[in-house]
Amino acid sequence: MTNRTNRHPVAVLVLPGALPLEFGTATQIFAMDPHYDLTVCGDTDTGLVPGCGFSITVAAGLEALDDARTVIIPGYDDIDAALSAELLAALRAAHARGARLVSICTAAFALAAAGLLDGRPATTHWRHAEQLRQRYPHVDVLPNQLYVDDGDILTSAGVTAGIDLCLHLIRTDRGAAAANTHARDLVAPPRRRGGQAQFIDRFRPEASGEELAPLREWMLDSLAEPLTIGRLAERANISRRTLIRRFREETGTPPMTWLTDARIDRARELLEATTVPVEQIGRLTGLGAPASLRATFHRRLGTSPQEYRTLFRHKDETKDGTKDETADA
């Protein structure tokens, strides 16, 4: 039996509108381990959990952060809500005295609001990554990663990525065997690398302008062709420099980056919805030979095309690789 005085103190800091799965992840994983001493705290009771019909009553106030060696903040519902000055000051003080700060999902916004992510890499749920980047431009947002370990500050994407990060913390503190034991209890993968990508809906960003919309539509119809900046500028009837500037203004990315993202999106569609051989997908999408396709997938998604297909392949398909429309009938 581990003596309580030798346990690692963990404070789960509950913010108003805490998300139940993220809260449950942090509390269950660390409460079931006798090597940790868990306290649920906050600057106020959270009230009703959004959409769940129950509330969370905290056991302690912000003073619990004074003794915590690890502070875990589960995601919360309203990322536009202002956090109290006392709460942000408590986070800064905990970090200054050496506590390890951990955010799950949208809780990265709380760390950013406290100024603790400035100049540091961080991630959050992919749906909110662009908002985090725009609101806190000094944060190095890595939207495609499951979790980011930056030493004394760690951030993760949503729900299952929070499990990955909590297991990573236990692996760091107590070794692989302890983390694997927890993973078996949770019926979860024992280890997913933080650099593995979140499986987002679409890589290419939404455009905020329409001047180059016809060019982007043509690019989507011409993915298999060898497109260059020169050819794109000629198609738009503008100079290369003007093309790059306007494209970035409308999409937030350079044209060739947007093109690569669009090609990855199309490759994912083919892997999910058809039985087109992987060897042909690189040619159909403009991503090149199979080796180039695999390298692109490993770099951007942290997995191979075949592994991606195994995970996401639709089951309602005919033998010729087209979708079986009768499956929806």
Side-chain angles (χ1 to χ4, degrees):
M1 185 76 176
T2 303
N3 189 301
R4 182 165 184 172
T5 59
N6 296 326
R7 294 180 186 177
H8 181 123
V10 175
V12 176
L13 176 60
V14 183
L15 304 182
L19 299 173
L21 284 176
E22 283 82 344
F23 171 73
T25 291
T27 53
Q28 179 174 349
I29 289 178
F30 289 95
M32 62 194 274
D33 191 318
H35 294 82
Y36 296 93
D37 185 17
L38 182 76
T39 301
V40 176
C41 66
D43 61 348
T44 179
D45 285 342
T46 67
L48 227 70
V49 175
C52 295
F54 64 83
S55 60
I56 299 173
T57 301
V58 299
L62 294 176
E63 70 278 359
L65 272 61
D66 295 340
D67 299 318
R69 289 172 56 192
T70 296
V71 177
I72 303 176
I73 316 170
Y76 57 103
D77 183 57
D78 187 1
I79 57 177
D80 294 321
L83 300 175
S84 72
E86 293 78 12
L87 187 148
L88 298 178
L91 283 174
R92 288 190 286 266
H95 179 255
R97 64 168 179 74
R100 180 173 59 182
L101 303 187
V102 180
S103 72
I104 300 176
C105 195
T106 53
F109 282 81
L111 293 178
L116 296 171
L117 294 183
D118 287 356
R120 305 184 74 141
T123 194
T124 187
H125 192 290
W126 63 267
R127 288 189 186 277
H128 303 288
E130 186 57 31
Q131 190 172 353
L132 181 64
R133 177 184 286 114
Q134 291 180 4
R135 188 179 298 181
Y136 302 103
H138 297 298
V139 179
D140 181 14
V141 180
L142 304 177
N144 298 330
Q145 299 207 14
L146 294 178
Y147 62 84
V148 174
D149 181 346
D150 195 38
D152 56 346
I153 296 183
L154 301 91
T155 55
S156 79
V159 190
T160 57
I163 296 175
D164 295 325
L165 180 52
C166 289
L167 292 175
H168 171 73
L169 293 173
I170 291 174
R171 186 179 302 107
T172 300
D173 293 343
R174 302 188 47 235
N180 291 345
T181 297
H182 279 279
R184 282 192 293 272
D185 289 338
L186 296 166
V187 195
R191 182 169 191 170
R192 290 198 297 171
R193 293 174 293 106
Q196 181 173 324
Q198 299 181 47
F199 294 111
I200 64 178
D201 268 349
R202 191 175 70 176
F203 272 104
R204 69 179 191 277
E206 294 284 354
S208 59
E210 294 299 320
E211 182 179 351
L212 295 178
L215 175 65
R216 290 192 294 273
E217 288 299 319
W218 177 79
M219 292 167 69
L220 291 175
D221 291 336
S222 309
L223 295 177
E225 299 182 25
L227 304 181
T228 63
I229 288 290
R231 189 175 177 190
L232 297 179
E234 182 180 354
R235 176 81 184 185
N237 197 28
I238 53 179
S239 70
R240 294 159 60 105
R241 179 175 296 179
T242 301
L243 168 71
I244 294 171
R245 175 175 56 79
R246 290 182 183 172
F247 207 101
R248 188 185 287 274
E249 288 172 352
E250 292 190 13
T251 68
T253 64
M256 299 310 289
T257 299
W258 190 93
L259 176 62
T260 298
D261 289 345
R263 284 170 164 161
I264 293 173
D265 289 339
R266 179 57 180 152
R268 293 165 67 204
E269 292 172 4
L270 292 172
L271 290 167
E272 292 176 20
T274 78
T275 56
V276 174
V278 171
E279 290 72 19
Q280 295 182 26
I281 289 178
R283 175 176 56 81
L284 293 172
T285 60
L287 289 173
S292 176
L293 175 66
R294 286 193 294 271
T296 300
F297 260 64
H298 275 293
R299 184 172 65 253
R300 297 303 304 277
L301 290 117
T303 189
S304 71
Q306 191 59 59
E307 290 169 340
Y308 184 91
R309 170 169 273 168
T310 299
L311 283 172
F312 291 100
R313 166 88 172 279
H314 295 325
K315 301 304 181 185
D316 52 344
E317 297 163 0
T318 62
K319 290 183 179 179
D320 65 358
T322 60
K323 185 176 180 181
D324 182 0
E325 300 298 336
T326 64
D328 299 323

